[in-house]
Amino acid sequence: MTIAPRRTRREEIIEIAARVFAKTGFRATSLAEVAAEVGVSQPGLLHHFKTKDALILAVLQQRDAEDEEWMAGALDPDDVTLETWVRVIAERNLGQPGLVRLFTLTAAESLDADHPAHEYFSQRHLHSRAALTAIVRRDQEAGRVHTDLDPEVVAIEVLAMMNGLQLFWLSAGDVDLVGLLMAHVRRYRTGAA
Amino acid sequence: MTIAPRRTRREEIIEIAARVFAKTGFRATSLAEVAAEVGVSQPGLLHHFKTKDALILAVLQQRDAEDEEWMAGALDPDDVTLETWVRVIAERNLGQPGLVRLFTLTAAESLDADHPAHEYFSQRHLHSRAALTAIVRRDQEAGRVHTDLDPEVVAIEVLAMMNGLQLFWLSAGDVDLVGLLMAHVRRYRTGAA
DNA sequence: GTCTATAGACAGATAGAC
DNA sequence: GTCTATCTGTCTATAGAC
């Protein structure tokens, strides 16, 4: 007899906190707001996360873990190309503006060295760049991407474009996130104009 | 006999507030922090700006006014090209990481409709896109940029790339902001690979 | 595991003296 | 134009009952 996969209160808090932090960021959001959304008292919330800092870190790590799990299901690691990688992420983000906003806002906030997620985002940026560089390099070896391009440059360009377009997309609503990204990425293709 | 251009207290406050808001953003920064840096009491600061909201708006508008004035001196409006426009802005930003951070952080914060600068940044984004689109269109007419590209798409791509690269540049320090931007923009050139 | 109560610090804004 | 004093509200975190 299997036990039904019941969502723990901790998981529930993380999910709701992600939504609330996405609106006003970490620093300007009070634990009381999160607690009210969850339906517990504010000290009740602190029973599950000792400090506010611990909560935002748990939120970010949980989201990364879910993304990683989802990516593993959506893409065969041996078969990832720059174009498939970008498409899969962009299409997923399209349906989750709240999460995009959480990361856009928290990444900017965390530029401050005193921010609890400062180190987290520094590492995240470096890790993203390295991971995408590896994908680009393999595309070049397979003849899919121009070999006279520096793979590290392509990687940072693509990531910058994703972040930058997301800000406009969140701001305006007339932005074709997936279309613009794919059009951009196609220009790295061998044989592109 | 000319009167020496004396900096008013109001201007001094705006300049210092820009620096303080750049570190922790608008919402998480207290008026007391700004006042302490200026060297006045917190009510003394509110004598010059009735509310905190009024202060951030004054800061942003002042910075825009200074940028516009500086641009007018650096570029002949009849002679601006995509490449010169991007180079001039990127090289200026290189020497003002604090201001770049102020706009990066405040733009993200202001995605919230309740933020005092929400409308300001919405308009700013639209205005930037329109202005750069016009420059690209003129480049196309002069044969400097591929005519099979949509000028609105080029404009939003370039702005997204600028914003995105600035975030990495602020985060990591190993990012060649000007070099990466110019390399990107050159790909729109007629005759580019 | 969740609550009430509260400590202790800090917020933005106002009143009124000088 | 700048100050001190203060109002009123909010914040994170803790203590301790149930």
Side-chain angles (χ1 to χ4, degrees):
Chain A
M1 174 172 155
T2 55
I3 298 170
R6 198 161 42 83
R7 195 173 62 158
T8 64
R9 177 124 268 195
R10 192 187 153 88
E11 287 165 343
E12 185 192 3
I13 291 172
I14 286 176
E15 189 181 313
I16 292 173
R19 204 169 63 231
V20 181
F21 285 142
K23 176 168 160 54
T24 38
F26 167 72
R27 285 186 147 148
T29 302
S30 70
L31 289 176
E33 285 177 70
V34 179
E37 287 287 317
V38 175
V40 295
S41 68
Q42 179 255 0
L45 197 156
L46 282 176
H47 171 76
H48 298 277
F49 300 90
K50 278 181 196 162
T51 66
K52 197 190 174 192
D53 288 7
L55 177 56
I56 184 64
L57 288 176
V59 166
L60 295 172
Q61 279 155 11
Q62 172 67 21
R63 289 295 146 186
D64 270 353
E66 281 179 25
D67 273 8
E68 206 164 324
E69 187 184 356
W70 181 84
M71 278 279 275
L75 283 175
D76 178 354
D78 296 329
D79 216 44
V80 190
T81 68
L82 175 62
E83 290 192 34
T84 58
W85 187 87
V86 169
R87 176 181 297 280
V88 156
I89 291 185
E91 284 177 352
R92 177 165 157 89
N93 283 349
L94 204 61
Q96 308 193 317
L99 282 192
V100 174
R101 196 163 138 180
L102 173 69
F103 277 93
T104 297
L105 180 43
T106 318
E109 259 191 337
S110 76
L111 288 171
D112 182 8
D114 297 335
H115 193 283
H118 178 73
E119 198 57 30
Y120 169 86
F121 271 101
S122 290
Q123 291 303 315
R124 188 178 206 268
H125 290 155
L126 292 178
H127 181 265
S128 303
R129 284 167 58 182
L132 192 51
T133 298
I135 292 176
V136 171
R137 195 169 278 133
R138 258 208 345 218
D139 273 0
Q140 290 179 317
E141 288 164 3
R144 284 186 292 266
V145 164
H146 278 295
T147 50
D148 54 347
L149 297 170
D150 181 339
E152 294 203 23
V153 168
V154 174
I156 197 170
E157 278 186 352
V158 169
L159 290 169
M161 184 70 79
M162 291 178 82
N163 287 335
L165 286 177
Q166 279 166 3
L167 180 67
F168 284 121
W169 172 64
L170 290 169
S171 171
D174 70 333
V175 178
D176 175 12
L177 189 59
V178 175
L180 286 168
L181 268 175
M182 295 317 297
H184 172 74
V185 163
R186 268 184 232 113
R187 299 217 195 91
Y188 298 115
R189 256 194 208 159
T190 46
Chain B
M1 172 172 158
T2 55
I3 298 170
R6 198 162 39 87
R7 194 174 64 157
T8 65
R9 177 122 268 195
R10 192 186 153 88
E11 288 165 342
E12 185 192 4
I13 291 171
I14 286 176
E15 188 181 314
I16 291 173
R19 202 169 64 231
V20 180
F21 285 141
K23 174 167 162 55
T24 39
F26 167 72
R27 284 185 148 148
T29 302
S30 70
L31 291 175
E33 285 176 70
V34 179
E37 287 287 316
V38 175
V40 295
S41 68
Q42 179 254 4
L45 196 156
L46 283 176
H47 170 76
H48 298 276
F49 300 91
K50 280 182 195 162
T51 65
K52 196 189 175 192
D53 287 8
L55 177 55
I56 184 66
L57 288 175
V59 166
L60 295 171
Q61 281 156 11
Q62 173 67 22
R63 290 294 146 186
D64 269 353
E66 281 179 24
D67 273 8
E68 207 163 327
E69 187 185 355
W70 181 84
M71 278 279 275
L75 282 175
D76 177 356
D78 297 328
D79 215 44
V80 190
T81 68
L82 175 62
E83 289 192 35
T84 57
W85 189 87
V86 169
R87 176 181 295 280
V88 157
I89 292 185
E91 283 177 353
R92 177 163 157 91
N93 283 348
L94 204 62
Q96 307 193 318
L99 282 192
V100 174
R101 195 162 139 182
L102 173 69
F103 277 93
T104 297
L105 180 43
T106 318
E109 258 190 338
S110 76
L111 288 170
D112 182 8
D114 297 334
H115 193 282
H118 178 73
E119 198 57 30
Y120 169 86
F121 271 102
S122 290
Q123 291 304 315
R124 187 177 207 268
H125 289 155
L126 293 177
H127 181 264
S128 303
R129 284 168 57 183
L132 192 50
T133 298
I135 292 175
V136 171
R137 194 169 280 131
R138 257 208 346 218
D139 273 0
Q140 290 179 316
E141 287 165 4
R144 283 187 292 267
V145 164
H146 278 296
T147 50
D148 55 347
L149 296 170
D150 180 340
E152 294 203 21
V153 168
V154 173
I156 196 171
E157 277 185 352
V158 169
L159 290 169
M161 184 70 79
M162 291 178 81
N163 286 334
L165 285 177
Q166 278 165 5
L167 179 69
F168 284 121
W169 173 63
L170 290 169
S171 170
D174 70 334
V175 178
D176 175 12
L177 190 59
V178 175
L180 285 168
L181 268 174
M182 295 316 297
H184 172 74
V185 164
R186 269 185 231 112
R187 299 215 195 91
Y188 298 114
R189 256 193 207 162
T190 46

